[in-house]
Amino acid sequence: MGIYDFYRRPLSDGASVPESIAMAEPEIAISTSQPELGDGMSPRKATAVAAPVEENIFEVIALKPEQSVSDPVKALKIIREDLGDCTRCALHKQGRKQVVFGVGNPKADLMFVGEGPGADEDAQGEPFVGRAGQLLNNMIKAMGISREQVYIANIVKCRPPGNRTPEREECETCSPFLMRQIAVIKPKVVVALGAVAAKTLLAMSASMMQLRGRFYDFKPAGVRSNDPNWDGCKLAVTYHPAFLLRDPRQKGEAWKDLQMVMRELGLKAPKTNT
Ligand code: URA
């Protein structure tokens, strides 16, 4: 079956998951961290929905050089140049080949944020180009859109050695650049892929069980968009594709998250032949 084949497979609750997501993935060793695993077996706590962090009124909003630039392509270029051959955190001396900035539509309505580059991403300089990226592409396609229409980035822009989970300090050092990218792109929805992305973007600590299943009002921390009409966006949390490759039974849950995003964006899944 090709990766673009698309038909629906029933779920136990009567819903269905697109075949492009549902298809069995070959067994592969993915050493990307799976923070979801820690709470993957616990029952969903209906009453324990995490509340978004209150806006910090003391937060310093620094003026960034890209804020005077209206063209998002140019603004993103300014952020990329500011990053340079980054040495701000320890990851630069732990075997990374290059900084993996982000890819996609600079005016995207929808952004996906992962954890950090793996070996394929480090080699190619683009996020989500390995096996997890293939599944992410299928998830995007199942939503009725293409990879080129969205913007994809990570919390950390350099590959953690052995694909370990990025340290909190690495996330805190790198994520301000992602926040600036988000403020330039001004998406309608950000989808956090996995616990590292969710916890960093939302600045909160909770399990995936608690974080999924709702929208958060999101404003990129420490930066303001130069567009007075953009006052932040919605943020949804779903499972990381690498986790879904390891535990395909959770694909139905991820599809529910994506359907929530599709409703928000007015997207319709493509028609199938079955
Ligand atoms: N996993 C991530 O979190 N990001 C990538 O770019 C690839 C794999």
Side-chain angles (χ1 to χ4, degrees):
M1 190 184 320
I3 60 167
Y4 295 120
D5 288 337
F6 186 92
Y7 62 85
R8 285 169 195 285
R9 203 177 264 181
L11 294 173
S12 51
D13 62 2
S16 63
V17 59
E19 179 60 24
S20 57
I21 301 176
M23 67 179 184
E25 299 288 336
E27 273 305 310
I28 47 166
I30 295 172
S31 52
T32 295
S33 58
Q34 279 97 24
E36 293 89 348
L37 285 181
D39 55 48
M41 300 305 288
S42 63
R44 188 141 197 187
K45 299 181 197 97
T47 53
V49 175
V53 170
E54 294 287 318
E55 197 174 0
N56 181 355
I57 57 169
F58 299 113
E59 186 180 39
V60 178
I61 309 275
L63 203 62
K64 306 290 185 232
E66 69 276 11
Q67 277 172 312
S68 57
V69 176
S70 57
D71 178 352
V73 175
K74 288 190 183 137
L76 289 173
K77 204 162 164 248
I78 290 170
I79 301 170
R80 179 65 191 90
E81 279 164 7
D82 194 0
L83 255 171
D85 195 19
C86 188
T87 56
R88 291 170 181 82
C89 84
L91 290 177
H92 82 277
K93 52 184 178 199
Q94 294 185 4
R96 72 118 203 257
K97 289 198 177 72
Q98 57 186 313
V99 171
V100 179
F101 184 64
V103 70
N105 178 0
K107 296 183 181 176
D109 283 343
L110 178 58
M111 261 187 91
F112 289 91
V113 176
E115 183 176 306
D120 294 318
E121 292 76 19
D122 185 44
Q124 295 183 43
E126 183 171 326
F128 284 99
V129 290
R131 296 286 309 163
Q134 227 180 337
L135 179 56
L136 179 62
N137 290 348
N138 289 345
M139 291 158 72
I140 294 168
K141 190 176 167 69
M143 297 173 81
I145 49 177
S146 68
R147 181 175 167 106
E148 291 69 34
Q149 286 175 275
V150 306
Y151 195 90
I152 306 172
N154 283 306
I155 294 294
V156 296
K157 299 190 188 305
C158 294
R159 183 192 182 199
N163 296 352
R164 66 159 168 77
T165 304
E167 308 276 357
R168 177 194 272 260
E169 203 185 315
E170 293 157 359
C171 295
E172 282 173 2
T173 304
C174 202
S175 60
F177 291 93
L178 172 66
M179 298 295 180
R180 288 167 65 184
Q181 287 170 282
I182 296 172
V184 163
I185 294 162
K186 297 177 285 177
K188 292 184 176 142
V189 177
V190 172
V191 175
L193 299 167
V196 169
K199 289 178 187 180
T200 306
L201 290 170
L202 293 171
M204 62 200 294
S205 193
S207 70
M208 284 296 286
M209 289 280 173
Q210 292 168 323
L211 290 167
R212 288 184 47 248
R214 57 164 291 188
F215 277 118
Y216 300 81
D217 289 326
F218 175 74
K219 289 182 191 182
V223 58
R224 221 159 254 161
S225 168
N226 65 4
D227 181 349
N229 296 319
W230 191 80
D231 190 29
C233 64
K234 298 221 178 298
L235 186 145
V237 176
T238 195
Y239 292 116
H240 193 290
F243 170 70
L244 295 175
L245 289 173
R246 291 246 310 232
D247 186 356
R249 290 168 306 172
Q250 302 305 325
K251 287 181 177 179
E253 289 300 303
W255 180 233
K256 286 181 198 165
D257 299 331
L258 298 183
Q259 285 177 306
M260 182 179 84
V261 171
M262 289 165 68
R263 281 192 295 275
E264 179 66 25
L265 293 173
L267 297 173
K268 291 216 178 341
K271 291 232 176 332
T272 64
N273 295 327
T274 53

